[in-house]
């Protein structure tokens, strides 16, 4: 193992850990804004209590996401300086837009929302949480646009060994980004929905108040709709993979040789005939390139080397993403049927939702592993190899020390996050103030004798 291997491990560990908070922030912010909108429109007290309850959970998660996200920026200079030099002029624009526009918008209006209770007019206060939620989603767009450029670089030219952006609009409207953004954001709403379902299920087991059934029903609807969007945009992504990243598609399906009417591999030895060709091209008889022929083409274009991603990780991360995602969405559909026509939530189903909390998180992490590991051995497809992206002169010991420190730090933050969330969930929402007993009318002394 050398410094490159540890640097990749470090970036993988910190990215996956940070990505635990990002989707929850994206989806939960919109959910809280929806709850406050319901309170604003109806005036019902339980909507206000749910807004403040889930709002605190949102704030805890947001704070952890900010802390862990800062480390991501440091690593570009610490371990990946060659990568930073090559992509800096392209990445600068979307990352600047993310920081100066989206994140400042999110954090500013979130601060106004936190401290604006009973100080701002209700409509202005409601607009603040919506602005913060929109800022979270804008932030995701700019980050994913930069990430999509690594898979399908557009709007640039290479000058003196560096990528120079010549079309910002092309970068922001990259076809890969236009498919990746709704797919990832919809996945974030599935994560947030799964989180709200687990919390509502737990609270229903503690007390059977109607407001928990209401929050559970809202989360069921959000999860089911978001799951449908994930499936639709996943189909778009598969077709783009066939055109732009055929090696990733072949590795994800374990397809070694060019195949006409390629089957979809459910698991090793279990195949559905011709389905892969249809998913990739809308043609059951289309030919899908295999890893071996693509490897030969890459060697002709880029010289000797192994241009195939890790077959095991790519293959199984794709299937785990599908299994965990379908299980989460399937539970939401089942829940909608079980609670139809104002039927009570069965106790066994509430317990199942609590146990299913990790499923959507495992789904998005598996998807992220597929996305990033499937791009290997490139950091920028066709332009910059991962081996050429690492900082020169960084020793194995230096990376090992920083990896150990980050892992320990993130472990501590994980414990703090779980403790804070669990404590707040167990405590439940604040009870409404008990109205004071009316004072008895004062009896004036009589002036009559």
């Amino acid at each position: 193992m050398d410094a490159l291997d540890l640097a990749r491990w470090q970036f993988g560990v910190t990215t996956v850990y940070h990505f635990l908070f990002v989707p929850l922030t994206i989806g939960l912010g919109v959910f809280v804004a929806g709850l406050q909108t319901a309170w604003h429109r109806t005036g019902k007290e339980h909507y206000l209590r749910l807004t403040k309850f889930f709002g605190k959970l949102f704030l805890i998660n947001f704070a952890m996401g900010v802390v862990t996200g800062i480390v991501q920026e440091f690593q570009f200079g610490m371990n990946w300086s060659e990568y930073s030099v090559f992509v800096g002029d392209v990445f600068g624009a979307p990352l600047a837009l993310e920081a100066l526009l989206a994140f400042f918008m999110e954090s500013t209006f979130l601060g106004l929302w936190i401290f604006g209770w009973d100080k701002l007019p209700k409509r202005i206060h409601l607009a603040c949480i919506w602005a913060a939620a929109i800022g979270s989603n804008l932030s995701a767009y700019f980050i994913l646009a930069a990430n999509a450029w690594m898979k399908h670089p557009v709007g640039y030219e290479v000058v003196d060994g560096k990528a120079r952006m010549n079309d910002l609009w092309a970068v922001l409207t990259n076809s890969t980004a236009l498919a990746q953004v709704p797919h990832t954001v919809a996945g974030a709403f599935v994560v947030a929905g799964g989180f709200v379902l687990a919390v509502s299920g737990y609270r229903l087991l503690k007390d059977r108040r109607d407001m928990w059934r209401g929050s559970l029903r809202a989360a069921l609807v959000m999860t089911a709709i978001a799951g449908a969007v994930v499936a639709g945009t996943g189909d778009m992504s598969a077709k783009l993979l066939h055109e732009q990243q055929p090696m990733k598609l072949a590795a994800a399906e374990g397809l070694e040789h060019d195949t006409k009417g390629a089957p979809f591999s459910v698991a090793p030895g279990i195949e559905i005939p011709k389905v892969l060709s249809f998913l990739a091209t809308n043609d059951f008889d289309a030919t899908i390139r295999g890893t071996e022929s693509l490897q030969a083409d890459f060697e002709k274009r880029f010289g000797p080397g192994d241009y195939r991603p890790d077959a095991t990780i790519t293959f199984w991360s794709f299937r785990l993403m599908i299994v965990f995602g379908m299980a989460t969405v399937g539970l939401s559909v089942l829940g909608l049927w079980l609670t139809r026509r104002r039927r009570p939530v069965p106790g066994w189903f509430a317990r199942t939702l609590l146990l299913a909390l990790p499923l959507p998180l495992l789904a998005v992490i598996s998807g992220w592993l597929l996305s990033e590991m499937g791009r290997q051995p490139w950091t920028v497809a066709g332009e910059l190899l991962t081996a050429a992206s690492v900082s020169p002169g960084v020793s194995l010991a230096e990376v090992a020390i920083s990896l150990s420190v980050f892992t320990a730090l993130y472990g501590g933050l994980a414990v703090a996050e779980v403790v804070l969330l669990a404590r707040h969930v167990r405590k439940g929402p604040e009870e409404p103030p008990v109205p004071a007993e009316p004072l008895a009318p004062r009896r004036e002394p009589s002036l009559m004798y």
Side-chain angles (χ1 to χ4, degrees):
M1 181 174 288
D2 56 16
L4 172 63
D5 296 322
L6 278 187
R8 291 181 64 188
W9 268 102
Q10 180 172 301
F11 199 86
V13 168
T14 54
T15 300
V16 167
Y17 189 85
H18 176 61
F19 200 63
L20 291 173
F21 305 105
V22 171
L24 186 54
T25 297
I26 292 171
L28 196 56
V30 174
F31 187 80
V32 171
L35 289 173
Q36 187 167 345
T37 301
W39 172 63
H40 180 77
R41 290 173 63 89
T42 66
K44 294 181 178 179
E45 186 72 20
H46 72 274
Y47 284 127
L48 176 60
R49 297 177 64 202
L50 287 172
T51 299
K52 292 188 175 182
F53 175 73
F54 283 108
K56 287 183 180 179
L57 298 176
F58 168 70
L59 292 175
I60 293 170
N61 188 77
F62 174 80
M64 289 295 181
V66 172
V67 171
T68 56
I70 293 174
V71 177
Q72 301 299 99
E73 306 291 338
F74 291 156
Q75 289 187 85
F76 290 132
M78 289 166 43
N79 297 337
W80 303 101
S81 60
E82 291 297 314
Y83 166 81
S84 300
V85 169
F86 181 80
V87 305
D89 288 348
V90 177
F91 263 42
L95 292 185
L97 287 170
E98 189 274 333
L100 298 177
L101 175 62
F103 180 72
F104 277 169
M105 175 182 176
E106 178 185 16
S107 55
T108 298
F109 283 102
L110 191 57
L112 290 171
W113 183 75
I114 294 170
F115 299 106
W117 289 98
D118 302 323
K119 297 180 179 65
L120 294 174
K122 282 188 176 180
R123 289 186 178 181
I124 301 298
H125 190 255
L126 175 62
C128 288
I129 187 60
W130 275 112
I134 292 171
S136 296
N137 284 268
L138 276 177
S139 180
Y141 184 91
F142 292 126
I143 293 295
L144 289 170
N147 178 265
W149 185 86
M150 297 165 62
K151 304 183 181 83
H152 181 230
V154 295
Y156 77 106
E157 58 183 348
V158 177
V159 179
D160 298 329
K162 302 176 184 177
R164 294 281 188 269
M165 183 171 61
N166 54 28
D167 191 343
L168 175 60
W169 185 247
V171 173
L172 295 179
T173 59
N174 187 345
S175 58
T176 303
L178 295 180
Q180 182 170 294
V181 169
H183 187 69
T184 306
V185 171
F189 278 84
V190 173
V191 170
F195 178 79
V196 176
L197 289 174
V199 172
S200 300
Y202 173 80
R203 294 304 311 174
L204 274 169
L205 294 171
K206 301 284 286 186
D207 61 78
R208 306 291 295 185
R209 280 183 275 189
D210 283 345
M211 72 174 184
W212 298 117
R213 183 186 182 280
S215 65
L216 185 140
R217 284 280 300 180
L220 289 172
V221 172
M222 181 174 75
T223 305
I225 294 174
V229 176
V230 168
T233 53
D235 179 69
M236 293 170 52
S237 298
K239 291 173 173 57
L240 284 175
L241 283 181
H242 173 65
E243 298 172 7
Q244 300 170 359
Q245 303 177 75
M247 182 68 85
K248 180 189 292 187
L249 178 64
E253 285 301 320
L255 194 67
E256 295 184 353
H257 306 289
D258 296 356
T259 305
K260 182 179 180 181
F264 177 82
S265 178
V266 178
I270 305 175
E271 298 179 342
I272 306 176
K274 298 190 176 185
V275 170
L276 177 59
S277 290
F278 179 77
L279 291 175
T281 66
N282 288 333
D283 181 356
F284 284 106
D285 294 319
T287 298
I288 304 298
R289 301 287 305 277
T291 55
E292 296 303 319
S293 63
L294 288 168
Q295 168 67 20
D297 288 351
F298 276 48
E299 287 183 352
K300 291 178 183 178
R301 288 179 58 191
F302 304 110
D306 189 352
Y307 299 96
R308 293 164 295 191
D310 186 291
T312 302
I313 294 177
T314 309
F315 182 88
W316 284 108
S317 61
F318 181 41
R319 275 137 194 86
L320 291 174
M321 175 188 69
I322 294 174
V323 169
F324 292 137
M326 288 183 64
T328 304
V329 177
L331 278 174
S332 70
V333 175
L334 174 62
L336 288 172
W337 184 80
L338 290 173
T339 58
R340 69 194 186 281
R341 299 176 184 174
R342 299 197 59 80
R343 295 184 182 185
V345 179
W348 66 266
F349 185 68
R351 285 187 286 272
T352 301
L353 293 176
L354 184 58
L355 295 174
L357 175 60
L359 293 181
L361 290 169
L362 291 172
V364 296
I365 290 173
S366 299
W368 199 248
L369 287 173
L370 168 66
S371 177
E372 300 308 298
M373 291 297 293
R375 190 187 63 244
Q376 297 302 317
W378 304 96
T379 47
V380 180
E383 292 288 355
L384 185 66
L385 290 166
T386 304
S389 304
V390 72
S391 299
V394 175
S395 68
L396 178 64
E398 290 171 332
V399 181
I401 292 172
S402 61
L403 173 60
S404 302
V405 170
F406 284 144
T407 302
L409 176 62
Y410 277 23
L413 289 174
V415 172
E417 164 93 353
V418 171
V419 168
L420 288 172
L421 290 176
R423 181 182 300 169
H424 184 64
V425 170
R426 282 198 300 268
K427 180 181 178 183
E430 296 178 0
E431 295 294 335
V434 179
E437 292 290 335
L439 296 175
R442 183 178 178 183
R443 186 175 180 179
E444 297 292 338
S446 174
L447 298 179
M448 300 295 292
Y449 289 96

